Amino acid sequence: DDPYSALDAHVARKVHDEAVLGVLARKTRVVATNRLEFATGCDLVLVLVDGRIDACGPYEEVARSNDAFRNLLSAQGVELEVKPAVGDLAPPPQFSRAISANSAASAEEEEVASHLQRAISREGSIGADDEEARASGQLKKEVFFFYLRKMGRPVSITLLASLYIISELIQLALPVWVAFWTSSSPTAAELPHFLAVYVVLSVFSVVFMTFRDLVGNIYGFRAARRLHVAMLQAVLRAPLSFFQDTPHGRIINRFSKDMSEIDKDLVWSMVYTFVPVLSCVGNLALVAGTAFFGLLAFLPAFYFYYKCWKVYNPAVLDIKRISKVTSSPVYDHFNNLTRENAVSIVRAHQQVERECARNAKLVADQQRPEYSMLYVEQWFCVCVENLGILLVFAVACFSVLGRGHLVTPGTAALSLSFAIQFSSEIQNLIGQIAEFGMAFNCVERVMEYATTLPEEAAMITDRRPPEHWPEAGVLEVQNLNIRYRPGLP
């Protein structure tokens, strides 16, 4: 009895195509409806006028001969799809291969199972069939600045950066002071002075490292809370069409996995990226100040490290984005099976094994990007390790060839030690920059919901009706046009 009456055009079309014409394809169907756009596929059309059958026959014949049916089609904006009549010749008979009852029953079970699987795996909305959108290319700077604004004002960000810079300067001052200590050949009376300065620098280093990490955690938790509030407000103010078109698994994925990574990992990704940058810059400054000619061996290495980063960083960032997208169907499938009577329906149709296999396939698809990430990381480690070996070899050759007039023994030792340390630090730095971009992919996804979702109109508080409105029971409507959503009639 009019199964399409409470459905919009898109959902009604899916019900008609996949339920009436799909699951029930081998059944006799009698549909009473006023939605005449679905009458074209009927074998027999009956037109009722004032409770009496006014016309009966195939769709084309009734549309051609019955005025009441044509008027209804015109009123609903349905185009007449009538083929030109050729006399009164009956259509040629359709022949098909006969099949046994057992074969028909098994074919029908397979068809019902396939339609059931599609129905359960879908959210019941047109947007559920679409693949989840994801960004591509390098991380946009707007995402980084969006997170910094959530951390606090520019003064707060400047304070946090200053703490890390001062901490790294103190860390670099320790080996410099030890080098100055050993080169000065102090007497027994001067040893307490050098030792006291070293102890003071060590204490300041510990204090600043503790304070900077504490402040970084506070700002990170503040940013995570503000991001969660911004996304929650945007989702709560989103129109109902958003929840109809968007599978719930995508929303759950952002509020659970993405926010969890922002809470726990994002701040430390920033710290572990910022600190190696300062460490590499400080080491290069020390090499430039003490062994300027040693930088000649470092310059070619910079180019190859840069080329390696240009290949590695976009690859791991895209794999991380794919990993985020493949997590949503797992949440979506589990959410569909646990709500209302979905589990009972699956058991009633004996589709438990099929749904378990589907869940296993979704989990396998979710884990596939993780293996791709392992392969890319192994390739990166091999490349960077070989570059580090070549860098140390080049510095050693430069030290041997330039001994005596260009390179002193102390300069050679310092260059070699920093070359070994630099090859390790630059590997960590490139990997950490990639981790930094992958961590900000969570912010990118949260920012998408917080800033781009459509919003319902806010309540207009300055144009409210009187307190005792309405005073009279009269309702006058003029030029009222209603549609379910934009793009529909």
Side-chain angles (χ1 to χ4, degrees):
D1 184 9
D2 208 350
Y4 319 112
S5 60
L7 306 178
D8 64 11
H10 294 84
V11 178
R13 172 59 62 182
K14 285 188 172 292
V15 170
H16 178 74
D17 293 342
E18 299 184 9
V20 178
L21 300 182
V23 176
L24 302 176
R26 299 178 181 273
K27 305 293 184 180
T28 300
R29 293 140 292 171
V30 179
V31 181
T33 181
N34 291 319
R35 302 287 288 270
L36 300 184
E37 64 267 26
F38 303 120
T40 57
C42 296
D43 299 322
L44 187 66
V45 177
L46 283 80
V47 181
L48 297 180
V49 178
D50 297 331
R52 299 176 62 88
I53 297 177
D54 189 61
C56 177
Y59 171 81
E60 296 179 357
E61 179 182 339
V62 174
R64 184 171 58 246
S65 60
N66 189 264
D67 294 335
F69 190 62
R70 285 203 303 270
N71 293 335
L72 289 174
L73 291 175
S74 300
Q76 295 189 15
V78 180
E79 297 182 359
L80 298 178
E81 299 179 1
V82 180
K83 297 181 180 178
V86 182
D88 294 327
L89 295 178
Q94 301 293 329
F95 299 98
S96 60
R97 182 176 61 87
I99 57 176
S100 64
N102 292 335
S103 299
S106 60
E108 183 176 349
E109 289 178 0
E110 288 295 327
E111 187 173 1
V112 171
S114 63
H115 283 283
L116 177 65
Q117 178 181 351
R118 286 194 296 169
I120 292 176
S121 64
R122 189 162 48 244
E123 273 290 328
S125 62
I126 59 175
D129 296 333
D130 301 332
E131 185 178 354
E132 184 176 3
R134 60 181 177 89
S136 60
Q138 295 290 346
L139 190 71
K140 296 181 179 179
K141 61 180 181 181
E142 289 80 5
V143 179
F144 182 69
F145 289 123
F146 179 76
Y147 181 77
L148 291 182
R149 287 195 297 270
K150 297 300 180 182
M151 289 185 68
R153 293 176 294 181
V155 177
S156 303
I157 306 302
T158 304
L159 172 63
L160 182 62
S162 301
L163 290 175
Y164 277 98
I165 292 174
I166 294 174
S167 176
E168 288 302 315
L169 289 176
I170 296 176
Q171 287 288 326
L172 291 174
L174 287 173
V176 173
W177 180 255
V178 171
F180 176 71
W181 183 354
T182 55
S183 61
S184 299
S185 300
T187 61
E190 296 175 341
L191 283 177
H193 168 69
F194 285 97
L195 184 60
V197 173
Y198 186 81
V199 170
V200 169
L201 289 176
S202 301
V203 170
F204 270 101
S205 175
V206 172
V207 170
F208 271 94
M209 289 178 64
T210 304
F211 189 60
R212 75 179 188 186
D213 291 342
L214 179 61
V215 174
N217 272 319
I218 293 174
Y219 287 170
F221 290 139
R222 177 196 296 175
R225 178 175 57 83
R226 290 177 176 177
L227 286 172
H228 182 271
V229 170
M231 183 170 62
L232 179 62
Q233 289 178 349
V235 170
L236 291 179
R237 291 190 59 83
L240 292 180
S241 59
F242 166 75
F243 298 97
Q244 183 182 14
D245 297 344
T246 305
H248 294 168
R250 299 180 186 178
I251 303 176
I252 295 173
N253 191 17
R254 281 173 168 81
F255 276 99
S256 57
K257 189 174 182 179
D258 290 338
M259 285 305 307
S260 175
E261 293 186 10
I262 292 175
D263 289 337
K264 298 186 301 182
D265 303 332
L266 186 58
V267 175
W268 294 112
S269 295
M270 293 182 61
V271 170
Y272 293 145
T273 303
F274 191 60
V275 171
V277 169
L278 295 178
S279 180
C280 289
V281 172
N283 289 336
L284 289 176
L286 285 177
V287 173
T290 58
F292 177 78
F293 291 102
L295 287 180
L296 297 177
F298 286 83
L299 293 179
F302 289 149
Y303 173 77
F304 292 107
Y305 279 122
Y306 173 75
K307 298 296 290 185
C308 184
W309 172 78
K310 288 290 289 183
V311 175
Y312 174 70
N313 189 63
V316 295
L317 185 57
D318 282 342
I319 292 175
K320 185 68 173 180
R321 287 166 172 162
I322 295 174
S323 175
K324 292 293 183 181
V325 172
T326 54
S327 299
S328 298
V330 178
Y331 292 108
D332 189 36
H333 182 257
F334 182 78
N335 178 65
N336 290 338
L337 288 177
T338 54
R339 68 178 189 178
E340 298 177 357
N341 299 320
V343 176
S344 301
I345 295 174
V346 171
R347 290 174 177 172
H349 288 271
Q350 300 179 355
Q351 300 298 317
V352 176
E353 294 183 0
R354 182 184 294 270
E355 291 305 315
C356 291
R358 176 172 173 77
N359 179 262
K361 180 180 182 301
L362 292 175
V363 174
D365 292 340
Q366 182 189 21
Q367 296 299 321
R368 190 172 299 168
E370 300 297 331
Y371 291 103
S372 300
M373 183 73 73
L374 290 176
Y375 301 148
V376 174
E377 288 178 352
Q378 292 300 318
W379 172 86
F380 168 73
C381 290
V382 170
C383 292
V384 175
E385 288 289 345
N386 290 331
L387 286 176
I389 294 173
L390 292 177
L391 174 63
V392 175
F393 177 74
V395 172
C397 291
F398 178 79
S399 301
V400 171
L401 296 176
R403 69 184 185 277
H405 54 284
L406 290 179
V407 181
T408 62
T411 301
L414 185 62
S415 299
L416 280 174
S417 63
F418 276 116
I420 298 172
Q421 185 177 357
F422 179 79
S423 62
S424 174
E425 289 180 350
I426 198 66
Q427 177 179 353
N428 295 332
L429 177 60
I430 296 176
Q432 204 54 49
I433 291 176
E435 290 287 340
F436 178 79
M438 289 189 291
F440 266 86
N441 176 244
C442 301
V443 180
E444 187 177 48
R445 289 164 55 83
V446 171
M447 178 181 171
E448 178 188 1
Y449 271 26
T451 59
T452 62
L453 289 186
E455 294 185 359
E456 294 284 1
M459 184 176 64
I460 303 175
T461 56
D462 57 344
R463 294 186 180 181
R464 305 300 296 168
E467 183 178 356
H468 300 289
W469 182 88
E471 298 177 354
V474 177
L475 181 62
E476 183 179 355
V477 179
Q478 296 180 354
N479 299 326
L480 176 63
N481 295 318
I482 299 177
R483 67 176 63 186
Y484 186 75
R485 71 173 70 173
L488 295 180

